[in-house]
Amino acid sequence: MVCLCRLDSSWCELGHSLPAAENMMKRKLVIDVDPGVDDAQAIMVALATPNVEVLGITCCHGNTPVDNVCKNTLRILKVCNRLDQIPVYRGCTEPLLGRKIHAGDFHGKDGLGDAPDPDAPGLELLQKEGAVTAMIRMISENPGEVHLVATAPLTNLAMAVKLDPAISEKLKGLYIMGGNTDSRGNTTVCGEFNFVADPEAAYIVLNRFFCPTYIATWEFSCRNNLPWSFCDPWLAQDTDKARFMKRIFSHTMQMVQTERFEKEMVAGVGFTSCDTYAMAAAIDDTFVTECEQVAVTVELEGRYTRGMMVLDPVEMLKKQHKVNIMKTVDLEKLKKMLMDSLK
């Protein structure tokens, strides 16, 4: 049975909000990324949130090859003055079975708008520990406390749950940007990029993680976009962060306002920071105002549908675990988070 729930500002009907006393504690995040400009936006939102503690950032292939992902993550931490505080781990370089794909047309070949920084931190600053074992360790050291935010292909998560099947039971919650609900793709006819980049990993994660799970899908992101006019004051702030974001975002802003991309949008043209929706849901329980609770899986064999997320509203899959598909969010809170992230 599909449950369409509205969430009030004080308590989530799905039982995911925190009691008032616990809200005063730092919210612990592990972030799995493939920056990507919208990953950068999501990371910067987390770093600017006072009650959030980022335990570590794990890097995965995706928008750009994994070495670029690692370099980009270090660049983001540098501009936020957090380079010496948050460990970064190199993760999986390719999908479990399929061919590698990247999103150079959208994010720039280097992942951050082809706006290089000659003083960018080097890869020697990465942790020696690999991303998958680090993810397992950080979650195991903080049982029941970690919110895992996944804005990349899910290869690192799939490897982690294969190595430690109990990892899902130790999580407070899982927040994914990926998948789709209406068979409308942005990479293939029916597939969203993160799931198409590693369908097997997406399948494993959606069938082996049983913690509270929230998914920001492609169609949802398009339907909850912000007007382009928001970007003018957002990027005009007189800070190094804003100047950094303006440089790396310029390529994507030009690309998404082309006729080709406008046809891909589900509900009109606007500023859509896909990964930031998953991050915002992880750091603020009141951000999601409506969601659909439903069992899901991932198609692995279809010629046109490989990587497509499949919803099961009639419960033919007989799955006990249901995820929460985001439907609507508080866009005013999103605006504030984004503005604060560049201050």
Side-chain angles (χ1 to χ4, degrees):
M1 173 178 172
V2 175
C3 176
L4 196 64
C5 354
R6 291 188 179 275
L7 312 179
D8 64 33
S9 60
S10 61
W11 189 259
C12 170
E13 292 179 8
L14 297 173
H16 185 58
S17 287
L18 298 173
E22 194 173 349
N23 270 329
M24 299 176 65
M25 300 170 58
K26 289 273 189 179
R27 179 163 294 207
K28 297 179 180 180
L29 299 187
V30 171
I31 308 174
D32 190 72
V33 295
D34 63 336
V37 177
D38 54 344
D39 298 79
Q41 292 160 357
I43 292 169
M44 293 174 79
V45 163
L47 297 180
T49 304
N51 69 328
V52 164
E53 177 186 1
V54 178
L55 300 178
I57 299 178
T58 53
C59 297
C60 185
H61 72 93
N63 286 320
T64 188
V66 74
D67 281 349
N68 280 346
V69 167
C70 294
K71 292 175 185 176
N72 294 346
T73 301
L74 294 169
R75 284 180 65 186
I76 296 161
L77 291 178
K78 178 184 176 185
V79 78
C80 294
N81 296 314
R82 303 290 292 276
L83 192 57
D84 59 345
Q85 299 174 21
I86 297 174
V88 179
Y89 305 89
R90 187 177 189 271
C92 295
T93 62
E94 59 187 17
L96 298 180
L97 292 178
R99 62 183 181 88
K100 284 194 285 188
I101 61 173
H102 299 301
D105 288 346
F106 188 82
H107 291 287
K109 289 182 173 55
D110 71 351
L112 290 185
D114 293 324
D117 176 5
D119 299 318
L123 292 178
E124 69 276 2
L125 296 180
L126 295 176
Q127 301 297 307
K128 302 302 182 187
E129 185 179 14
V132 174
T133 55
M135 181 182 293
I136 294 171
R137 175 183 55 75
M138 288 185 286
I139 294 169
S140 298
E141 290 174 350
N142 300 274
E145 297 182 15
V146 172
H147 298 76
L148 176 56
V149 184
T151 63
L154 296 172
T155 316
N156 286 340
L157 277 70
M159 292 292 293
V161 79
K162 292 281 281 184
L163 288 173
D164 182 2
I167 188 175
S168 139
E169 302 168 13
K170 303 170 187 175
L171 280 172
K172 184 74 175 178
L174 172 61
Y175 301 80
I176 296 170
M177 190 284 130
N180 53 356
T181 54
D182 302 342
S183 304
R184 183 160 183 163
N186 61 11
T187 303
T188 62
V189 174
C190 295
E192 176 276 332
F193 176 83
N194 281 343
F195 279 28
V196 171
D198 196 337
E200 280 73 23
Y203 179 91
I204 289 169
V205 169
L206 293 183
N207 284 283
R208 297 197 184 183
F209 277 75
F210 305 115
C211 56
T213 303
Y214 285 77
I215 302 180
T217 67
W218 167 240
E219 298 95 333
F220 152 82
S221 300
C222 294
R223 291 178 181 132
N224 287 271
N225 58 26
L226 298 175
W228 280 114
S229 58
F230 166 80
C231 292
D232 293 334
W234 180 51
L235 298 174
Q237 298 182 81
D238 186 17
T239 66
D240 289 340
K241 294 179 186 178
R243 285 184 281 273
F244 170 77
M245 182 55 62
K246 187 173 183 178
R247 286 197 305 274
I248 69 170
F249 197 27
S250 176
H251 171 89
T252 301
M253 288 181 71
Q254 294 176 20
M255 206 285 295
V256 298
Q257 295 180 69
T258 63
E259 182 179 354
R260 180 186 73 80
F261 189 83
E262 288 178 5
K263 290 179 180 179
E264 294 180 6
M265 298 295 285
V266 176
V269 179
F271 168 41
T272 305
S273 182
C274 297
D275 294 337
T276 305
Y277 297 100
M279 183 64 71
I283 64 181
D284 185 344
D285 293 320
T286 66
F287 174 68
V288 180
T289 54
E290 184 180 351
C291 60
E292 179 181 5
Q293 194 174 41
V294 61
V296 297
T297 190
V298 177
E299 173 58 47
L300 297 180
E301 299 179 6
R303 177 178 178 183
Y304 298 109
T305 58
R306 175 171 159 79
M308 181 180 75
M309 188 169 74
V310 179
L311 277 64
D312 181 28
V314 294
E315 301 190 350
M316 292 183 67
L317 297 176
K318 308 299 181 186
K319 292 181 67 174
Q320 295 296 315
H321 179 62
K322 294 178 172 61
V323 303
N324 303 300
I325 305 293
M326 299 182 201
K327 291 291 186 181
T328 59
V329 295
D330 189 330
L331 290 178
E332 292 304 312
K333 287 189 174 182
L334 180 65
K335 290 178 183 178
K336 186 177 188 310
M337 290 180 190
L338 287 166
M339 289 296 294
D340 290 347
S341 71
L342 299 188
K343 287 183 177 178

